[in-house]
Amino acid sequence: MDTIHRTHFCGFLSVVVAAHDQAPELKRNLPLLLAQHYEPGYEVIVVDESSTDDTQEVLKQIATEHPALYATYIPSSSHYVSRRKLALTIGIKAAKSQWVLLTDANCHPDSTEWLSAMAESMTDEADIVCGYTNFDPTAKGRHVYLRMLNWWRNKWHPYRHDGANLAVRKASFMEHNGFLKNLKYMRGEYDFLVNEARRQRIAIACSPDSRMRQEELPPAQWTAHQLNYMNICPALRHAFLQRLAFVLWQGLLHLSYLLAVAAIVFFAIRQHVVGIALSASFLVFLLATRTIFGYRLAKAYGEHIAFWKLPWLDLGVAWHYAYYWLRYMVADKDNFIRK
């Protein structure tokens, strides 16, 4: 996919943040979001999903110092639809700009040039711009590895979006009725936006300044995130092909390791020195290539993972998804629909 464009959008921008009972996160991250160096100007719209904490007080306090901040809310009576999708829809409709950037309350830009960097990919040829989202340095290695692996796969074939760093063309969003087709699903808002867009109309922001930083998700939120993905996956276009490619890739990877170890054991029993050496060399080669792959990914996306952890994180991807798939199979499916 071509990510090099001749012209880009250079007008006023809107940022929409949906939040629910996230007063501490808003207090930490909104000032950073409102500190952008973007000359055409911008607004930040926070849509409160009927919070019961101090969200309103925090927003009022920050608004006194930042006139670019606007707040609205959705009523607590909104049932049986995704409040997050409804909140984002309200925010997008209220936005003054042609382009709207979407993010979460637990995220902040890594750079004061975030808006400028994302705008570089907003061209006449694009309806959606995907940006990468780093986790905090304290995040678990497997969370970081999964995020950058999903981004690497998505970069070559846009299929979904893992991370709260997305820009949409307002006119396109309204023309396609936003989240109307998938409003019953509790989450998956970023996934559906990318999945339903034409591949040729999706741009990838690659500049380090275009990255967001997300706070580490508590275990309960991480589990909810994974189970919600399991729930929406069948509704995504090309889901079968994506799953098939993943199974084949992970299957061949595990099979290669298994064969290498089995060969070493076999030749050791036979006391065949050459066979042991060749099998061990293949195992070392396999470990080295997968480690280098993970290291280059981490370097490209500004992640920091201990070198020795990379091959084990690579092997653990399949087991991670298998574990959450089993959890999803025994879960009450209504929990992912009615919210």
Side-chain angles (χ1 to χ4, degrees):
M1 180 171 49
D2 186 8
T3 57
I4 300 176
H5 309 286
R6 297 177 181 177
T7 60
H8 66 272
F9 183 74
C10 55
F12 186 84
L13 287 174
S14 300
V15 182
V16 172
V17 181
H20 177 69
D21 286 345
Q22 293 176 293
E25 290 89 340
L26 290 170
K27 192 172 184 178
R28 286 193 298 269
N29 296 315
L30 267 185
L32 298 173
L33 196 59
L34 290 157
Q36 289 295 294
H37 297 162
Y38 185 71
E39 290 186 2
Y42 63 95
E43 63 179 353
V44 175
I45 303 171
V46 177
V47 185
D48 180 13
E49 301 174 12
S50 307
S51 297
T52 57
D53 63 356
D54 298 330
T55 292
Q56 288 296 321
E57 288 72 16
V58 169
L59 291 175
K60 290 177 182 177
Q61 180 182 1
I62 298 177
T64 60
E65 302 174 4
H66 299 279
L69 175 63
Y70 301 90
T72 185
Y73 68 96
I74 61 174
S76 57
S77 58
S78 300
H79 297 303
Y80 307 111
V81 295
S82 167
R83 292 187 180 181
R84 180 53 52 91
K85 296 191 183 75
L86 180 58
L88 292 177
T89 300
I90 290 174
I92 292 172
K93 287 184 176 181
K96 300 175 183 177
S97 175
Q98 300 176 37
W99 279 91
V100 185
L101 294 99
L102 308 176
T103 189
D104 288 345
N106 64 349
C107 300
H108 66 263
D110 243 0
S111 166
T112 56
E113 303 299 325
W114 172 63
L115 287 177
S116 298
M118 290 292 285
E120 289 288 338
S121 298
M122 298 175 186
T123 69
D124 292 338
E125 293 79 23
D127 288 327
I128 285 184
V129 178
C130 300
Y132 184 69
T133 304
N134 298 90
F135 276 118
D136 275 344
T138 57
K140 294 180 180 179
R142 66 175 180 274
H143 296 179
V144 175
Y145 193 85
L146 285 169
R147 172 66 57 81
M148 66 182 194
L149 190 63
N150 286 334
W151 176 257
W152 174 74
R153 293 169 61 194
N154 201 57
K155 184 177 178 180
W156 302 111
H157 189 281
Y159 160 67
R160 53 181 292 254
H161 187 67
D162 186 16
N165 188 8
L166 196 70
V168 298
R169 185 188 297 276
K170 182 176 179 178
S172 177
F173 179 86
M174 301 303 294
E175 180 183 349
H176 294 90
N177 296 315
F179 299 111
L180 185 61
K181 296 178 182 177
N182 51 76
L183 199 57
K184 67 176 183 178
Y185 295 102
M186 187 169 70
R187 295 303 301 267
E189 54 274 5
Y190 305 119
D191 298 294
F192 282 116
L193 283 174
V194 172
N195 187 257
E196 294 175 0
R198 290 174 53 197
R199 183 181 175 186
Q200 295 82 0
R201 303 288 297 178
I202 299 174
I204 305 296
C206 299
S207 166
D209 286 335
S210 66
R211 297 170 187 160
M212 290 289 279
R213 180 73 58 178
Q214 186 174 27
E215 298 174 0
E216 169 70 313
L217 298 178
Q221 289 187 25
W222 177 262
T223 297
H225 178 74
Q226 298 303 310
L227 296 183
N228 274 297
Y229 170 65
M230 298 294 172
N231 181 64
I232 69 167
C233 193
L236 298 175
R237 292 185 305 158
H238 312 302
F240 175 77
L241 292 177
Q242 289 289 332
R243 284 184 169 183
L244 179 62
F246 173 79
V247 169
L248 289 175
W249 165 49
Q250 282 290 312
L252 289 173
L253 181 64
H254 281 72
L255 182 61
S256 298
Y257 278 112
L258 183 61
L259 289 176
V261 173
I264 292 174
V265 173
F266 174 79
F267 287 120
I269 294 174
R270 295 297 185 90
Q271 297 184 348
H272 194 291
V273 178
V274 175
I276 294 173
L278 290 175
S279 301
S281 297
F282 175 72
L283 179 61
V284 171
F285 171 77
L286 190 60
L287 284 168
T289 53
R290 297 309 302 174
T291 301
I292 292 172
F293 168 75
Y295 173 77
R296 296 181 73 172
L297 275 187
K299 186 177 180 180
Y301 303 144
E303 301 287 12
H304 302 281
I305 304 177
F307 197 80
W308 62 271
K309 291 183 179 180
L310 290 169
W312 313 114
L313 291 172
D314 191 37
L315 274 172
V317 170
W319 299 102
H320 173 91
Y321 282 118
Y323 168 74
Y324 283 107
W325 180 79
L326 290 174
R327 288 199 58 171
Y328 173 72
M329 293 302 294
V330 300
D332 182 357
K333 306 306 184 289
D334 285 343
N335 292 334
F336 309 105
I337 301 295
R338 296 159 52 187
K339 193 68 176 177

